[in-house]
Amino acid sequence: MTNLERTWWFCALAGGVSAFGTRFILDMAGIASPSGAAQWTLFAFCFFGVWRLFAAAAWLAVLLVKPTSRLLDRGAAKPGRAA
């Protein structure tokens, strides 16, 4: 995760965009409200897929606007883990 993905405001924004994007995609697929394990699994895969797409697009936007931003740095590695 980059420093951008560790900020609270980015997580809130990415979660909102992912929720609305996932609801739109599922609605277009004919699933108005998920029911059952299979549909909830599909919802989860879609949600995290949209989250990662949004995070990649935001990272690319920051890279294009300000290539030396601290938000692009990799997050601090946890103790005992290689970076």
Side-chain angles (χ1 to χ4, degrees), residues 34-68:
S35 61
Q39 290 182 355
W40 279 107
T41 302
L42 180 63
F43 180 88
F45 283 146
C46 187
F47 180 84
F48 290 113
V50 172
W51 183 299
R52 295 307 307 160
L53 285 173
F54 180 76
W59 181 85
L60 184 59
V62 171
L63 179 65
L64 291 173
V65 172
K66 190 173 179 189
T68 58

Side-chain angles (χ1 to χ4, degrees), residues 23-38:
R23 291 298 305 146
F24 175 75
I25 292 170
L26 289 180
D27 192 39
M28 292 294 109
I31 303 172
S33 179
S35 61

Side-chain angles (χ1 to χ4, degrees), residues 2 4 7 15 19 28 32-33 38 64 69 71 74 77 80-81:
T2 62
L4 177 64
T7 59
M28 292 294 109
S33 179
L64 291 173
S69 175
L71 291 173
R74 297 291 291 173
R81 293 182 68 183

